[in-house]
Amino acid sequence: MRIPETGLSREELFARLEAFRSDDVDWRSGRTWAYVYDPGRETEQVVKEAFTSYLTENALDPTAFPSALRLENELVAMAASHLGGGADVVGNFTSGGTESILLAVKTARDHARAHRPEITAPEIVLPETAHAAFHKAGHYLGVEPIVVPVDPTTFRADVVAVRDAITPRTILLVGSAVSYAHGVIDPIRELGEIALERGLLLHVDGCIGGFLLPYFARLGAAVPEFDLRVPGVTSISMDFHKYAFAAKGASVILYRDRRLRRHQIFACAGWSGYTIVNPTVQSAKSAGPLAAAWAVLNYLGDEGYLRLARTMLEATRQVCDGIAAIPGLRLLGRPDMNLVAFTSDEVSVFHVVDEMRERGWYVQPQLAFGASKENIHLSVNPSGARWVDDFLADLGRSVERARSLPRGDDAAAAIREAVAGIDPAKLSEEELAQLLAFAGADGTALPTRMAGINEMMNALPPRMREAVLVEYVNQLFRQPG
Ligand SMILES: Cc1ncc(COP(=O)(O)O)c(C=O)c1O
């Protein structure tokens, strides 16, 4: 494929862009319970307009674009007060949860380099429910994740396990509020006590929960303190592009004070071009996401967010009660927010996911890991609230239908046996391709029913899952044939 010789007309161009979307999940229907945080058409329009109005401003240089600096400082201030921070709190706007977490880990690493130079192989202690972004940060930054079990019933971090995992090389503890997988808050107060006692930094991952939890608390939900009010918490991340309903590319990382944040900032005068000083990972960047986040906070206001939170809280309670009443299903933990995980001991949850898809719903499968059995994950969003009764009725039907479909236990056992003792790092491209073909994915198109792939992935050890996925994605992203 080459750049077309002559340009397309505007009409043709936008028609094509629209047509490309035909196979995407239909999130506007309110039946996609993952990926998209939809506050409704009117707010979406405001977000879009704000985004495009600042699309071409470059947030790289606050002296050339003081408007971008102003937007960022105002967003950080609103985030700090939302999360119990005082006047000393500083922070930065980032492109998303992953970038905020990368920066928290980088800051901890460079803080340790400055204050504990004897550490040559730094470690971070992660409850097994901590987001994969911490592993990614460790991978990018040369920091070893030490993963510890969580309570197998509540799925909250086990503070004894965290304490036992601390070594002279530990530079950072991590807690989630809430965890993505089960939507629960870790015991942040206890983690803070450990951090203070051992002189360690503590990051709270509030990427998905930080914005919404304070509203749930105001509506009467039991929400223990998880933010900068908790002694020992040194940094916290919160995404605007989740439950603040900003456009994607919007998160914030906050630090208790400037001394710590100093380790986040990168400057480079060692080349012949313009001198660089970047507080975050990106350098040149559109101010569009900043403007969109600023706009949505100011448009919805506290009142608007409280209203949306009430809708989500009520819908989540209904969904949880409904799931508990469906024979064959059980909740994993009790969610503190609007993220729900449930499993089955009677049917394959992966068939339930496919059956729901056939009925027009998108729900997210989660593979078994540690204390958590394979399960289905729901994000109960405002746009889904009107559908709760239909959702539960179709879920009941999907479970009944799944009873007549094979659970895949034998195939899973065969896969486990076949890969036992194999080092995932040594699998050849052919062997990986065979595994993919076995699951019904040849890398050219996505199958409509995913149960085969999910069952196979679920049966594989996590390192092997990663190897298979890398191969799959390496096939998926390629030039159109
Ligand atoms: C708790 C938590 N942390 C981090 C992230 C990563 O955020 P992002 O996908 O914006 O990089 C997520 C995403 O869902 C999350 O739920």
Side-chain angles (χ1 to χ4, degrees):
M1 187 178 263
R2 309 170 69 124
I3 298 168
E5 190 115 354
T6 53
L8 300 174
S9 68
R10 279 174 58 96
E11 293 70 31
E12 170 66 12
L13 192 106
F14 286 111
R16 284 203 202 174
L17 283 174
E18 196 48 45
F20 290 165
R21 268 205 275 243
S22 60
D23 290 334
D24 290 0
V25 288
D26 178 15
W27 60 270
R28 278 190 201 288
S29 64
R31 292 161 74 98
T32 298
W33 289 31
Y35 295 122
V36 177
Y37 306 87
D38 174 15
R41 278 298 183 104
E42 202 179 293
T43 310
E44 184 198 332
Q45 205 48 41
V46 171
V47 169
K48 274 190 177 150
E49 275 175 40
F51 195 107
T52 49
S53 75
Y54 269 76
L55 182 71
T56 36
E57 271 61 28
N58 190 348
L60 164 68
D61 186 346
T63 62
F65 294 98
S67 61
L69 178 64
R70 177 180 184 156
L71 291 172
E72 178 156 347
N73 281 344
E74 290 195 10
L75 279 166
V76 166
M78 286 190 267
S81 78
H82 195 59
L83 295 174
D88 289 342
V89 168
V90 294
N92 286 99
F93 184 85
T94 76
S95 65
T98 299
E99 187 179 351
S100 293
I101 287 168
L102 273 175
L103 291 171
V105 175
K106 183 224 181 280
T107 300
R109 187 198 64 179
D110 291 358
H111 176 265
R113 281 181 180 170
H115 298 283
R116 298 168 65 198
E118 69 284 2
I119 301 179
T120 51
E123 297 172 354
I124 52 178
V125 179
L126 296 181
E128 68 188 25
T129 47
H131 195 273
F134 290 97
H135 295 258
K136 186 173 178 179
H139 181 71
Y140 281 15
L141 296 163
V143 174
E144 185 67 21
I146 306 297
V147 178
V148 296
V150 296
D151 181 291
T153 314
T154 64
F155 298 98
R156 300 183 204 283
D158 175 341
V159 284
V160 175
V162 169
R163 189 190 291 278
D164 289 350
I166 295 171
T167 74
R169 295 177 296 280
T170 306
I171 60 163
L172 179 70
L173 305 181
V174 169
S176 303
V178 295
S179 64
Y180 182 83
H182 308 95
V184 298
I185 306 173
D186 284 335
I188 304 298
R189 188 160 286 281
E190 286 87 336
L191 293 175
E193 282 164 14
I194 299 175
L196 288 173
E197 193 184 295
R198 307 296 289 265
L200 292 168
L201 301 177
L202 168 62
H203 180 78
V204 172
D205 179 4
C207 283
I208 202 158
F211 198 84
L212 191 52
L213 282 173
Y215 290 108
F216 269 39
R218 279 162 59 185
L219 292 167
V223 176
E225 280 184 2
F226 66 92
D227 55 19
L228 290 160
R229 286 170 296 178
V230 179
V233 172
T234 49
S235 59
I236 186 164
S237 45
M238 177 178 85
D239 295 353
F240 296 114
H241 69 197
K242 294 192 169 81
Y243 289 107
F245 303 104
K248 292 227 176 5
S251 172
V252 69
I253 169 83
L254 300 177
Y255 297 93
R256 200 170 269 291
D257 61 53
R258 283 171 55 210
R259 276 195 312 270
L260 184 54
R261 198 264 302 268
R262 177 178 297 276
H263 299 286
Q264 179 187 286
I265 301 168
F266 174 80
C268 179
W271 72 308
S272 35
Y274 56 94
T275 305
I276 289 264
V277 54
N278 295 148
T280 61
V281 174
Q282 292 176 298
S283 200
K285 54 186 177 186
S286 166
L290 259 173
W294 185 94
V296 73
L297 261 68
N298 283 288
Y299 181 71
L300 284 172
D302 197 54
E303 206 181 54
Y305 283 117
L306 195 62
R307 182 170 32 82
L308 288 165
R310 182 175 284 114
T311 306
M312 288 185 270
L313 179 62
E314 284 167 4
T316 306
R317 286 181 175 155
Q318 241 183 305
V319 166
C320 287
D321 292 348
I323 288 171
I326 294 175
L329 297 183
R330 66 181 169 89
L331 292 168
L332 286 179
R334 272 278 154 186
D336 290 315
M337 214 173 71
N338 64 331
L339 308 180
V340 181
F342 62 97
T343 191
S344 175
D345 301 316
E346 296 170 16
V347 299
S348 157
V349 288
F350 302 127
H351 283 311
V352 176
V353 170
D354 285 346
E355 288 299 318
M356 286 298 276
R357 188 109 198 224
E358 295 213 340
R359 290 167 176 77
W361 303 94
Y362 188 92
V363 294
Q364 198 174 41
Q366 294 190 130
L367 305 182
F369 185 80
S372 185
K373 210 182 155 170
E374 66 275 12
N375 63 83
I376 296 177
H377 184 275
L378 308 175
S379 305
V380 183
N381 291 330
S383 58
R386 66 183 190 280
W387 291 114
V388 170
D389 290 339
D390 296 25
F391 177 88
L392 290 169
D394 274 341
L395 185 58
R397 287 185 198 107
S398 296
V399 172
E400 283 319 303
R401 171 78 185 114
R403 287 186 194 281
S404 62
L405 298 168
R407 268 177 44 168
D409 295 344
D410 294 346
I415 290 168
R416 271 190 212 105
E417 202 183 306
V419 302
I422 297 178
D423 177 356
K426 298 213 173 91
L427 280 175
S428 68
E429 230 173 80
E430 288 70 37
E431 285 166 323
L432 285 165
Q434 271 169 13
L435 271 172
L436 282 173
F438 179 77
D442 65 0
T444 51
L446 293 166
T448 46
R449 288 190 76 95
M450 297 288 286
I453 293 182
N454 285 325
E455 293 284 6
M456 183 197 81
M457 293 296 284
N458 197 52
L460 294 177
R463 292 282 168 253
M464 196 78 83
R465 293 175 187 167
E466 290 164 2
V468 171
L469 280 175
V470 168
E471 178 60 22
Y472 180 59
V473 167
N474 205 18
Q475 289 184 23
L476 201 61
F477 288 86
R478 59 179 170 196
Q479 299 187 28

